[in-house]
Amino acid sequence: MAQGKTADQDQVALICERYQSDPHRMLDILRDVQDRFRWISRETMATVAAKTGLTQVAVEGVASFYAFLSLTPRGRVTIRLCDDIVDRFAGLPAVVEAFENALGIAVGQTSADGAFSLEYTPCIGLCDQAPAAMINDVVLTGLTPEKVREMVAALKGGKRPEDLISHRFDALSPYERAKRMVKNNVRHAGAVLLGPVPEDAGLMKALAQTPAAIIDQIAASGLRGCGGAGFTTGMKWRFAAQAEADRKFIICNADEGEPGTFKDRVLLTERPHLLIEGMTIAARAVGAREGILYLRGEYVYLRPLIEEVLAERRARGLLGTAIMGVEGFDFDIRLQMGAGAYICGEEGALISSCEGLPGEPKTRPPFPVTCGYLGFPTVVNNVETFCHAARILDCGAQWFFDMGTEGSHGTKLFSVSGDCINPGIYELPYGLSVRALLEMAGGEDAAAVLVGGPSGTMIARDTFDRKLTFDDLATGGAIVVFSPERNILEIVEYYMSFFVHESCGYCTPCRVGNVFLQKAVAKFRQGLANPADIAYLKDLSATIIETSRCGLGMTSPNPILSTLENFPLVYSAMVKPPKDRIRATFDIQSAISDARVLAKRRSSIYDKDFTK
Ligand SMILES: Cc1cc2nc3c(=O)[nH]c(=O)nc-3n(C[C@H](O)[C@H](O)[C@H](O)COP(=O)(O)O)c2cc1C
Ligand code: SF4
């Protein structure tokens, strides 16, 4: 037994050495440990701490932050069920029941023989083919109770999760494997990204230009970031180019985790070369030699495909030293896997995660363009932004500028899901109305549309003529369609629970305030709210927005605020006049209990200590 433990720790030490025992590679180390042992034990944390020169507390801080890392043993097969609201409406409850019955365990449990773990996970980027689940590194979509029963029988019979996809899985190319698991559902290909794209044409033109000329073109095209905030890309690249430093970095944000967004998944599958081309052009423009592609843990099935593309480009001289023979133009990219944390999409948290830390946002300023990864100037852009940049270099700034509308140039990928006939990806010029997009997607019956995911805006039927632009309805790409049968308050409560789950916990207004907001929405659903609760929702939302440190807290009340504005009757219909209120059912202690647990606080010395 003791010998076994020593042998295990020898293996942990070897895993550390795989990453030169570099503390900045902590996430890679712990991911590999998790894959090998299915959990991260105290002994393991001590070994990792000793090898990397960190304290055990620091290692535990990382190990306990990420949902895909575990401090207790997980099953040899871990089934993660996507618990997004779209999946729930698409039949998740029956799928859950089928899994629980077939496995003999409830969600949140591991079977006694250690064979299976069953758990929920937030949106895994497959809303267009819900209900979906991850089974270890394999993705399964369009689940039904029948499929579940067959799958579990096959797994119990000794099949690997990969064998559920194809009996000749190992013989398939990484691209074929990805396509077997997940459909792309490209419903409308536009001129920029999903239409015909000549190979590396943008990079070849960039090689003949000065860095300043490349940045001038990107600026003149009007390209704005596609990750949600819409910052001008040319300006971002110029700031990074002007920064004086020995090292500079280009980071691709492929952490797309906003519920309802899956456009980057499709670009990563269909346009990986274009993405790397865009990153390489950015490197030339700002003078960076090192790049990181941060891929969300849920897209681990795309890892072999991206690694193959990187290797192929190195072999072709498109990455590495003296790219395409240009002396002094050196650039290479490492793949950084995430580990199940939505907050890591926020660029400061993303950088923390790449540095091997818990994914906590950083205080701004300084901004990443001057002080980013390891303190060096860093450009962080979304997958789609880099792809656009490569196309602009090929086809010209004016070509891109002429598409779309004033202030919103070019095309945008929209991920459409929910209650529509044709969920999938639509590449369209900015400026289209929501109504026009609904007509294309077969969602004309919609009663509500969520534009930009839960941190965006929920609009009602009477405003479907609003435009998809930065100046009207800005979106990172998520369009979730809800039919009249759906309960708006159920949707809002779900999204608030998402933010409660995903808050990194650093600041009190976000960590605790979102719990109170969720509870208040539940009160409306139960018909226990009074007129003053509407003002309470607004006041608390304003406080959270104003006092939160990062964009998560600054936007988390949006599901409530936009539905209060656009669906006021949904709330007022659930308000009871004061004399009818059932006061006896309101219990202040239970109302704040979750928040106390989250805040790790006791309300009095007689209370249980939640920190133990
Ligand atoms: C909570 C939160 C989550 C985010 N998630 C993502 C994401 O998944 N992908 C992304 O590109 N940007 C995301 N962002 C925006 C990034 O912080 C950043 O603005 C973006 O990566 C910059 O790239 P862009 O200029 O090309 O859009 C998120 C922001 C916040 C506040
Ligand atoms: S606003 Fe929320 S997610 Fe952002 S730093 Fe504060 S606690 Fe973390």
Side-chain angles (χ1 to χ4, degrees):
M1 184 72 179
Q3 255 185 354
K5 279 195 169 182
T6 311
D8 284 355
Q9 293 315 308
D10 287 348
Q11 285 194 42
V12 171
L14 283 175
I15 290 174
C16 293
E17 283 159 24
R18 197 179 290 160
Y19 299 98
Q20 292 77 48
S21 300
D22 181 353
H24 298 122
R25 303 299 298 275
M26 185 59 69
L27 192 52
D28 297 298
I29 292 170
L30 295 181
R31 274 194 61 104
D32 285 6
V33 169
Q34 176 76 40
D35 282 350
R36 171 67 189 78
F37 297 101
R38 295 180 284 119
W39 71 304
I40 300 164
S41 66
R42 295 223 151 266
E43 290 87 353
T44 296
M45 284 190 264
T47 306
V48 173
K51 289 292 287 183
T52 55
L54 295 179
T55 62
Q56 195 170 329
V57 172
V59 175
E60 187 168 354
V62 182
S64 60
F65 186 86
Y66 296 91
F68 287 8
L69 304 178
S70 174
L71 303 187
T72 52
R74 275 198 173 122
R76 286 186 289 284
V77 174
T78 296
I79 299 166
R80 296 193 175 95
L81 300 164
C82 180
D83 184 31
D84 190 75
I85 193 81
V86 171
D87 295 65
R88 291 186 190 185
F89 290 158
L92 178 67
V95 166
V96 173
E97 198 185 339
F99 267 118
E100 290 186 331
N101 289 338
L103 293 170
I105 51 172
V107 175
Q109 293 182 335
T110 297
S111 59
D113 61 359
F116 294 98
S117 288
L118 185 63
E119 54 193 59
Y120 284 128
T121 192
C123 183
I124 58 173
L126 292 161
C127 290
D128 55 333
Q129 38 212 298
M134 293 176 72
I135 303 196
N136 289 351
D137 291 354
V138 165
V139 168
L140 293 163
T141 63
L143 293 174
T144 60
E146 293 71 40
K147 276 194 198 174
V148 168
R149 283 188 280 272
E150 281 168 23
M151 273 164 36
V152 173
L155 290 169
K156 282 186 167 174
K159 281 201 169 179
R160 304 173 307 161
E162 293 85 338
D163 301 330
L164 301 172
I165 301 302
S166 155
H167 64 277
R168 47 183 288 271
F169 185 87
D170 296 334
L172 300 176
S173 71
Y175 177 72
E176 286 167 334
R177 285 182 215 164
K179 293 270 288 202
R180 285 278 177 112
M181 287 189 241
V182 176
K183 287 189 206 125
N184 281 331
N185 283 332
V186 174
R187 306 285 183 181
H188 190 274
V192 185
L193 300 176
L194 296 172
V197 171
E199 228 177 74
D200 289 305
L203 179 59
M204 292 311 141
K205 291 191 183 161
L207 289 177
Q209 295 177 29
T210 63
I214 295 172
I215 294 175
D216 285 345
Q217 277 202 65
I218 296 295
S221 72
L223 176 63
R224 292 171 68 170
C226 303
F231 192 79
T232 311
T233 308
M235 205 185 290
K236 186 180 277 189
W237 290 18
R238 186 161 285 139
F239 285 142
Q242 285 165 353
E244 303 263 333
D246 293 339
R247 294 169 77 186
K248 294 183 186 178
F249 290 86
I250 304 295
I251 297 186
C252 172
N253 188 341
D255 195 47
E256 84 174 339
E258 189 77 25
T261 314
F262 47 88
K263 67 181 183 71
D264 294 344
R265 180 199 89 205
V266 172
L267 285 175
L268 287 158
T269 313
E270 288 302 328
R271 295 285 178 264
H273 281 279
L274 188 67
L275 165 62
I276 309 298
E277 184 188 345
M279 289 179 74
T280 312
I281 291 168
R284 174 138 178 95
V286 309
R289 286 193 304 273
E290 294 158 272
I292 301 173
L293 198 167
Y294 189 98
L295 184 66
R296 71 181 303 213
E298 291 80 350
Y299 290 171
V300 66
Y301 77 99
L302 292 173
R303 180 184 190 155
L305 170 58
I306 303 293
E307 278 173 344
E308 185 184 65
V309 167
L310 291 175
E312 188 189 324
R313 293 183 74 84
R314 282 182 200 114
R316 286 167 53 201
L318 293 162
L319 283 176
T321 45
I323 290 175
M324 295 316 284
V326 177
E327 233 16 80
F329 182 21
D330 308 335
F331 179 63
D332 211 332
I333 296 171
R334 81 169 165 89
L335 186 61
Q336 173 69 65
M337 289 307 302
Y342 163 71
I343 188 57
C344 289
E346 193 280 335
E347 61 186 5
L350 184 99
I351 290 170
S352 298
S353 189
C354 291
E355 290 170 340
L357 299 169
E360 278 169 6
K362 294 177 188 277
T363 304
R364 295 142 59 103
F367 292 93
V369 280
T370 53
C371 181
Y373 180 66
L374 303 178
F376 294 104
T378 303
V379 166
V380 180
N381 274 132
N382 174 257
V383 173
E384 188 182 352
T385 314
F386 281 123
C387 290
H388 278 308
R391 296 287 288 138
I392 289 163
L393 262 293
D394 179 27
C395 299
Q398 195 64 43
W399 168 79
F400 191 83
F401 187 87
D402 289 342
M403 287 180 261
T405 63
E406 199 185 333
S408 304
H409 301 277
T411 62
K412 177 85 193 90
L413 295 195
F414 298 103
S415 326
V416 183
S417 66
D419 299 317
C420 58
I421 296 165
N422 302 310
I425 295 293
Y426 296 77
E427 183 190 358
L428 297 159
Y430 278 109
L432 204 76
S433 69
V434 172
R435 191 181 303 286
L437 183 52
L438 287 174
E439 278 163 15
M440 292 177 85
E444 296 94 328
D445 295 340
V449 176
L450 182 65
V451 181
S455 59
T457 312
M458 178 93 96
I459 61 166
R461 187 177 264 283
D462 57 344
T463 52
F464 284 174
D465 287 323
R466 288 182 64 180
K467 301 279 189 287
L468 295 161
T469 65
F470 285 107
D471 296 328
D472 190 355
L473 288 169
T475 169
I479 306 284
V480 189
V481 183
F482 295 108
S483 71
E485 297 88 65
R486 306 302 181 199
N487 177 339
I488 297 287
L489 288 178
E490 181 186 353
I491 297 165
V492 173
E493 192 186 347
Y494 165 74
Y495 285 134
M496 292 318 298
S497 74
F498 169 79
F499 285 125
V500 167
H501 188 259
E502 296 302 321
S503 164
C504 81
Y506 181 89
C507 27
T508 309
C510 171
R511 184 183 67 233
V512 180
N514 283 316
V515 176
F516 282 124
L517 285 181
Q518 188 196 342
K519 289 217 164 227
V521 175
K523 209 172 141 191
F524 276 92
R525 279 189 76 193
Q526 292 156 13
L528 298 174
N530 61 61
D533 285 323
I534 292 188
Y536 170 78
L537 283 176
K538 289 182 182 166
D539 288 351
L540 182 54
S541 295
T543 305
I544 296 172
I545 290 170
E546 203 170 310
T547 53
S548 285
R549 186 193 197 199
C550 87
L552 188 149
M554 290 173 201
T555 56
S556 59
N558 284 359
I560 294 177
L561 293 177
S562 66
T563 48
L564 273 173
E565 187 179 338
N566 300 323
F567 301 85
L569 292 179
V570 162
Y571 289 86
S572 55
M574 299 303 282
V575 167
K576 292 220 184 267
K579 65 180 166 51
D580 290 338
R581 238 164 45 226
I582 314 158
R583 284 176 195 279
T585 55
F586 182 70
D587 166 8
I588 181 78
Q589 290 305 327
S590 77
I592 64 170
S593 63
D594 287 0
R596 290 206 331 252
V597 173
L598 283 165
K600 296 191 169 58
R601 291 217 182 98
R602 289 183 280 178
S603 63
S604 85
I605 54 167
Y606 303 109
D607 266 359
K608 196 168 129 222
D609 186 347
F610 290 109
T611 60
K612 290 195 176 135

